[in-house]
Amino acid sequence: MTEKNKFSIMHRTNGEVDCLHLHGYLDALTAPELESSIDKLIKDGRKMILVNFRNLDYISSAGLGVFMAFIEDLRKSGGDIKLTEMNPKVFSVFDLLGFPMLFDIDKEDESALQKFANGDIKGDV
Amino acid sequence: MLYKNLQMATLRAMYRMYSRNDTYSNLICAPGKYSELRKVRKFVSTKAELFGFGADEANQIALAVDEACTNLIQHAYHLDKSKQFCVEVETSGRRFVVKILDDGEPFNPLDVNSPNMKKYLKEFRKGGLGIHLMKLVMDDIKYSPSSKSRPQNVLKLIKLLQ
């Protein structure tokens, strides 16, 4: 397991979509940082959030909990959280718990952005 | 009171013995804070890979241990960093066993029912996935609460090398 960096988030805006690029590892120590970033976006009235996992090495249930914390309210307001570019180790944790039933998990940002543009929401649980 | 002091002294002694970065040690001890989780994961995944597990399985074992320690730090130790817990790796044959020792209030994760994930996701529920993940990735889990003969609670997470 290579967990080089602790945790950081790089934020980019792509039109109506806010892209959060995660680096490092997401566990009970670092999950509150992601939670407050997403919370701030929502308080600023943003509701389309793309989270890119390319540089995330590790996730535990504390990290998964952040996405469950916001998805219901975001969907109610017509928004969504879409997840992209997970490495197989990180994807396996989402997959073990069936999260792909609830969340769009895309290989690339492009397809997730296209789904935002089309208003596609995965909710067919 | 004497019993409690003895427990703490034992854990402190274990901590002093093993808190050095000893590559050959099969035991690591840490204070009750989340910033220790990374070190514990690294310890467990390194041992698992040395035993013969691939990187993905080693990651899953480290995840199960992370979940157990996170619960322990949060619910049993209430983020009290003056308290210590220890993680020990034991192997025999194909069995890779991670023992987590603590001196908090006994809590048996096997008493917690696993959620129905379809329902969980459909109803946008929150929390309570750590123990479920532990059960999903490990082959067997055993729990022994502290007793007069053994001052610590012991959680054993077991994975078989295929």
Side-chain angles (χ1 to χ4, degrees):
Chain A
M1 188 193 300
T2 50
E3 292 182 23
K4 286 171 192 143
N5 309 306
K6 188 184 150 196
F7 184 65
S8 63
I9 304 169
M10 198 173 62
H11 177 209
R12 284 187 194 142
T13 308
N14 188 325
E16 289 297 299
V17 182
D18 288 89
C19 304
L20 300 177
H21 291 248
L22 310 185
H23 295 247
Y25 61 88
L26 201 44
D27 65 0
L29 178 71
T30 60
E33 198 177 324
L34 177 62
E35 190 164 359
S36 64
S37 292
I38 297 179
D39 194 46
K40 188 173 179 304
L41 288 175
I42 293 171
K43 287 198 170 106
D44 289 345
R46 309 289 295 182
K47 53 188 184 184
M48 294 188 203
I49 299 168
L50 183 156
V51 182
N52 181 297
F53 286 72
R54 188 193 309 157
N55 294 307
L56 194 85
D57 298 319
Y58 174 84
I59 192 164
S60 71
S61 70
L64 300 179
V66 176
F67 303 105
M68 288 309 290
F70 295 109
I71 190 71
E72 183 175 17
D73 288 344
L74 272 173
R75 292 237 172 118
K76 275 183 187 158
S77 66
D80 199 14
I81 299 179
K82 297 189 192 294
L83 316 173
T84 67
E85 289 201 58
M86 284 179 193
N87 75 36
K89 266 192 321 193
V90 169
F91 177 75
S92 76
V93 183
F94 279 86
D95 198 36
L96 270 169
L97 294 172
F99 274 51
M101 286 194 292
L102 181 61
F103 289 89
D104 270 316
I105 301 178
D106 283 81
K107 286 209 166 72
E108 291 167 2
D109 286 0
E110 273 309 308
S111 50
L113 290 168
Q114 193 58 50
K115 285 177 186 168
F116 271 123
N118 296 343
D120 291 347
I121 303 280
K122 189 157 194 176
D124 185 21
V125 180
Chain B
M1 192 61 192
L2 183 66
Y3 173 59
K4 192 80 188 163
N5 285 341
L6 186 66
Q7 283 185 29
M8 286 308 293
T10 313
L11 271 178
R12 272 197 215 104
M14 285 167 80
Y15 181 65
R16 274 198 302 276
M17 278 174 70
Y18 296 105
S19 56
R20 293 163 301 171
N21 252 344
D22 183 349
T23 317
Y24 301 103
S25 170
N26 280 326
L27 189 138
I28 189 173
C29 295
K33 51 183 185 177
Y34 293 146
S35 55
E36 298 295 317
L37 291 170
R38 181 189 196 184
K39 186 171 78 184
V40 171
R41 288 196 298 270
K42 178 80 186 149
F43 168 77
V44 171
S45 63
T46 302
K47 295 288 174 196
E49 287 191 33
L50 281 172
F51 186 65
F53 288 109
D56 289 353
E57 276 182 312
N59 181 62
Q60 291 197 336
I61 298 168
L63 171 67
V65 175
D66 174 324
E67 298 295 349
C69 295
T70 298
N71 279 347
L72 170 63
I73 293 168
Q74 184 180 0
H75 300 297
Y77 284 1
H78 307 287
L79 305 174
D80 180 351
K81 59 183 187 232
S82 72
K83 297 196 168 186
Q84 314 286 343
F85 65 95
C86 295
V87 175
E88 185 177 15
V89 170
E90 279 180 359
T91 58
S92 69
R94 296 190 298 119
R95 279 162 64 91
F96 184 83
V97 182
V98 186
K99 285 162 70 176
I100 299 160
L101 304 102
D102 74 274
D103 66 344
E105 279 295 305
F107 171 74
N108 186 351
L110 298 172
D111 290 342
V112 179
N113 290 330
S114 288
N116 172 330
M117 282 311 298
K118 201 167 177 178
K119 232 174 154 184
Y120 183 100
L121 293 165
K122 197 170 184 175
E123 294 168 3
F124 300 105
R125 290 192 205 162
K126 288 150 191 75
L129 293 179
I131 292 170
H132 184 46
L133 262 179
M134 252 165 55
K135 291 178 183 169
L136 285 173
V137 301
M138 300 310 289
D139 291 319
D140 197 10
I141 298 176
K142 294 186 190 305
Y143 183 77
S144 314
S146 59
S147 63
K148 287 207 168 158
S149 59
R150 196 200 45 247
Q152 290 102 32
N153 306 303
V154 182
L155 177 67
K156 281 188 189 177
L157 304 175
I158 299 153
K159 185 95 172 167
L160 301 178
L161 185 64
Q162 298 303 324

